[in-house]
Amino acid sequence: MNFKFAKALSIALICGIGWVYWPDPAPTLLSLRIGSKFEEVTKTSSYPVEKNSNPPHNDEGGFGYTFITEPSVVIKFDAPRYGFILPPTTFAAIAYSEGKVSTIRTSPSLRTLSFSEAVSVFSSVQTQLQKGGWQLKNSSSWIDLSPGGVKQLHYQLNNDSSSHMRIVSLRAPGKYAMYFSVRRAGENLLGFDRYLVELSIGPDHP
């Protein structure tokens, strides 16, 4: 067996064993919505927002950022009608303008996912958005998660060389806009395909 391949295989197996036997850390909460004041986000979240931010009150124009740097943070979009809760993540970037949340970007998972895991995450979030009243935008369509639809999605993500991505464009009229997507994210050390679910949220513009 090639030494480099054997070394890579050993590392992959060790990582795999860790995922099985090492429990994920207890998540903290980041609670916010577009338009939330920085002080409100800090007060309603158990995630240490102040510690992991360039606070907007330090900038004359009220611009700032919050970054997720801890492993396992649950993002709660706390809008009264259009709210939802995402699976734990290790990545999010929150931007502020005039001291208020202006954009939210995240990938709601702790690591890259197998295709079946990505479908499960996407299904959970899509169901919340459908029930919450989010509307399709720009001739977009919900992803068909029937067995036939999932098969077609897998083909698209692995054979469409132009994107390897499926995007759903949504809006909460007059309030929020969102791009919600799933994409192929390469391969792991053992050569298995990996995927990511991603969301980008901002204000809705006419």
Side-chain angles (χ1 to χ4, degrees):
M1 180 182 291
N2 180 277
F3 175 75
K4 290 184 178 179
F5 176 79
K7 183 178 179 180
L9 179 61
S10 298
I11 294 173
L13 289 174
I14 290 171
C15 292
I17 292 170
W19 290 351
V20 172
Y21 293 104
W22 295 344
D24 292 328
T28 54
L29 177 70
L30 183 65
S31 180
L32 74 173
R33 61 189 178 280
I34 302 301
S36 295
K37 294 181 179 180
F38 178 78
E39 293 77 13
E40 180 184 354
V41 177
T42 302
K43 183 178 180 180
T44 59
S45 302
S46 61
Y47 179 72
V49 176
E50 189 84 35
K51 176 184 175 182
N52 294 287
S53 297
N54 297 322
H57 52 68
N58 289 344
D59 183 273
E60 289 185 3
F63 294 99
Y65 298 91
T66 295
F67 300 101
I68 288 203
T69 58
E70 294 184 358
S72 191
V73 179
V74 169
I75 295 178
K76 178 181 180 182
F77 192 78
D78 65 358
R81 177 179 177 186
Y82 298 101
F84 53 87
I85 299 176
L86 299 176
T89 183
T90 57
F91 166 78
I94 316 302
Y96 301 87
S97 177
E98 298 180 350
K100 300 178 181 179
V101 175
S102 57
T103 61
I104 303 167
R105 293 183 59 229
T106 186
S107 181
S109 61
L110 301 180
R111 59 185 72 89
T112 57
L113 305 168
S114 68
F115 180 70
S116 62
E117 290 170 335
V119 168
S120 178
V121 169
F122 198 98
S123 176
S124 171
V125 178
Q126 178 169 275
T127 298
Q128 290 187 70
L129 298 176
Q130 289 172 324
K131 291 180 177 179
W134 287 79
Q135 299 179 12
L136 296 167
K137 182 180 179 182
N138 298 334
S139 302
S140 189
S141 60
W142 298 106
I143 290 184
D144 178 4
L145 295 175
S146 68
V150 169
K151 183 177 180 180
Q152 178 61 33
L153 176 64
H154 186 266
Y155 178 84
Q156 178 183 354
L157 297 182
N158 287 278
N159 294 278
D160 183 353
S161 60
S162 65
S163 65
H164 297 295
M165 177 181 288
R166 175 71 161 83
I167 299 174
V168 179
S169 179
L170 301 169
R171 66 191 296 251
K175 291 183 176 291
Y176 319 115
M178 178 192 302
Y179 289 103
F180 178 38
S181 65
V182 57
R183 67 177 176 88
R184 188 173 182 271
E187 301 175 348
N188 64 13
L189 291 174
L190 294 179
F192 294 112
D193 294 339
R194 308 301 291 176
Y195 301 83
L196 282 173
V197 175
E198 297 171 319
L199 291 90
S200 179
I201 312 169
D204 183 43
H205 297 295

